[in-house]
Amino acid sequence: TKAGPGTIAEAASLSLPVMLTSFLPGQEEGNVDFVIEGNFGTFVSDADPQGISDVVAGWLSDEDKLKELSDNAQKRGAPDAAAEIVAAIGESALKWKTIDESHHTEVIEDEGEDGGGGSKG
């Protein structure tokens, strides 16, 4: 697959090894490094289909290697990331709602002290 961050994140979250075959220069190069340095996949150019099939066949025929790749993917994955992000957004929204409500309460109380906001003099 192409070295897109979403694909890599999904694969790691599911403890799947990754076979990268292309990347956008500059933009996705670091993603290739992330997979290779994390030891949960490799890169073989899509210009080399035989090389891709040889590597994947090697993974599939070596149960220990496949388990190692899977274990390493699991270490890099964040399967609960979406739920954690939603929780953080929810907490932030509640915080700002509380701040906003207290601000509006102060404004209403200030207006009530002088009879509804009319002139004082």
Side-chain angles (χ1 to χ4, degrees):
T1 186
K2 188 170 84 60
T7 302
I8 293 169
E10 287 181 38
S13 291
L14 296 171
S15 303
L16 296 173
V18 179
M19 166 55 72
L20 299 174
T21 59
S22 65
F23 61 90
L24 295 174
Q27 184 175 346
E28 294 176 339
E29 287 177 73
N31 300 344
V32 175
D33 295 338
F34 178 77
V35 169
I36 293 171
E37 291 169 8
N39 265 336
F40 67 100
T42 195
F43 175 85
V44 179
S45 172
D46 55 10
D48 182 12
Q50 185 62 51
I52 294 168
S53 66
D54 289 346
V55 171
V56 173
W59 292 350
L60 295 175
S61 65
D62 184 345
E63 195 172 314
D64 291 335
K65 179 65 174 175
L66 200 53
K67 179 163 177 20
E68 176 188 346
L69 291 166
S70 179
D71 290 346
N72 290 336
Q74 183 179 32
K75 291 174 191 171
R76 291 292 189 134
D80 299 324
E84 292 168 5
I85 290 167
V86 168
I89 291 170
E91 290 171 14
S92 180
L94 286 175
K95 173 185 167 188
W96 286 107
K97 181 178 184 244
T98 302
I99 291 170
D100 188 51
E101 286 174 347
S102 68
H103 172 72
H104 286 295
T105 302
E106 291 171 10
V107 171
I108 292 169
E109 288 173 0
D110 288 346
E111 288 177 359
E113 291 174 8
D114 67 357
S119 71
K120 292 186 177 184

